Amino acid sequence: MSRILLVEEGQDAASVLLDELRRAGHEAEHIEDGAVALHRILTSPPALTLLDVELPRVSGLQILEKIRARSDHPIIMLTARAQESDRLRGFDLGADDYVCKPFSPREVVVRIHTVLRRCAQRRHVARPSMPITFGAVRGCAILDGHYLPLTRRESLLLRALSQEPGRVLTRSKLLEAAFPEALDVNERVVDTHIKNLRKKLATVSAAHDWIRSVYGVGFAWESQARQDA
């Protein structure tokens, strides 16, 4: 059983999802006010927060930004905003997942289990025991004891991804990491470098999908074999 906090305005909108969470064995709490929710997460964090974007006093995105400045607490955004730019904004701020309304309560429960599992894996893999290390020489990386010859861009991308295993980084975030001096580079250039990176990573273990794609959003580093594939 996990303690799940649902932050959404309106009891009627929340009741169906609360019932489904409790049927799934979770302890579910509902808060409607953004300021109250922010205080609760900071002082008594649940296992995971389901966070609506439109909230009184403090918006969901503001809460997400404030929480990410302090912790990696698991957060799934819930919103009626279906535009890609809104979803990318949430991921840029550090959301673990993003669910657009209307949604299936059962699907939300499945996503909760997936996010909790990934966060547990991320916390289990301590930084010193990461399977990838970077040498002092630019372009040198060692993955599970295997030397990887990398270009400068590939090295910067791999550093950014591996620093936050399991967390989805948007193309814009990766572009900032790998092309900090470029102002007119298209985000899709990230895909080309990721493709080349995957080929090199496959020489270490072809069966392990080291870089997970999230359609329309970006990529995440999987330092352990995926359990939800």
Side-chain angles (χ1 to χ4, degrees), residues 96-213:
D96 291 281
D97 203 350
Y98 211 105
V99 182
C100 294
K101 301 176 183 180
F103 50 74
S104 161
R106 289 186 179 182
E107 178 189 352
V108 175
V109 169
V110 171
R111 288 177 181 252
I112 288 172
H113 293 166
T114 299
V115 168
L116 287 176
R117 185 163 57 244
R118 286 177 181 156
C119 289
Q121 291 174 353
R122 188 166 67 221
R123 290 165 182 165
H124 177 72
V125 182
R127 195 65 57 91
S129 63
M130 289 284 290
I132 186 167
T133 57
F134 295 89
V137 179
R138 179 178 292 178
C140 170
I142 300 173
L143 178 63
D144 282 349
H146 297 265
Y147 173 80
L148 292 176
L150 303 175
T151 67
R152 175 172 175 263
R153 306 297 188 189
E154 291 168 353
S155 180
L156 290 171
L157 282 173
L158 197 52
R159 281 178 184 272
L161 286 165
S162 61
Q163 283 174 358
E164 297 189 79
R167 174 154 291 160
V168 179
L169 297 184
T170 62
R171 287 179 175 84
S172 63
K173 282 286 188 183
L174 292 171
L175 196 63
E176 290 175 12
F179 297 84
E181 74 289 348
L183 300 177
D184 58 350
V185 179
N186 190 290
E187 289 184 2
R188 291 296 170 179
V189 74
V190 171
D191 294 32
T192 301
H193 287 284
I194 291 292
K195 181 180 179 181
N196 293 333
L197 258 180
R198 280 178 165 149
K199 290 179 181 178
K200 294 179 180 181
L201 293 169
T203 63
V204 177
S205 174
H208 188 138
D209 187 12
W210 296 99
I211 300 176
R212 173 170 56 92
S213 298

Side-chain angles (χ1 to χ4, degrees), residues 14-156:
S15 60
V16 175
L17 184 51
L18 288 169
D19 288 343
E20 187 64 33
L21 290 170
R22 289 162 182 156
R23 273 196 295 270
H26 296 295
E27 178 186 343
E29 178 186 5
H30 177 217
I31 294 177
E32 298 187 48
D33 183 274
V36 175
L38 176 60
H39 178 74
R40 179 63 57 84
I41 296 169
L42 291 175
T43 58
S44 180
L48 180 144
T49 296
L50 297 170
L51 185 59
D52 198 3
V53 171
E54 302 293 341
L55 295 168
R57 296 209 285 172
V58 182
S59 75
L61 291 178
Q62 288 175 315
I63 292 174
L64 174 61
E65 188 171 19
K66 292 178 183 295
I67 295 300
R68 278 295 167 264
R70 302 190 183 199
S71 78
D72 62 352
H73 171 70
I75 295 177
I76 297 178
M77 301 300 296
L78 305 176
T79 181
R81 299 179 180 179
Q83 289 89 348
E84 182 182 82
S85 59
D86 292 320
R87 296 197 305 275
L88 292 177
R89 174 65 174 157
F91 279 114
D92 269 335
L93 290 175
D96 291 281
D97 203 350
Y98 211 105
V99 182
C100 294
K101 301 176 183 180
F103 50 74
S104 161
R106 289 186 179 182
E107 178 189 352
V108 175
V109 169
V110 171
R111 288 177 181 252
I112 288 172
H113 293 166
T114 299
V115 168
L116 287 176
R117 185 163 57 244
R118 286 177 181 156
C119 289
Q121 291 174 353
R122 188 166 67 221
R123 290 165 182 165
H124 177 72
V125 182
R127 195 65 57 91
S129 63
M130 289 284 290
I132 186 167
T133 57
F134 295 89
V137 179
R138 179 178 292 178
C140 170
I142 300 173
L143 178 63
D144 282 349
H146 297 265
Y147 173 80
L148 292 176
L150 303 175
T151 67
R152 175 172 175 263
R153 306 297 188 189
E154 291 168 353
S155 180
L156 290 171

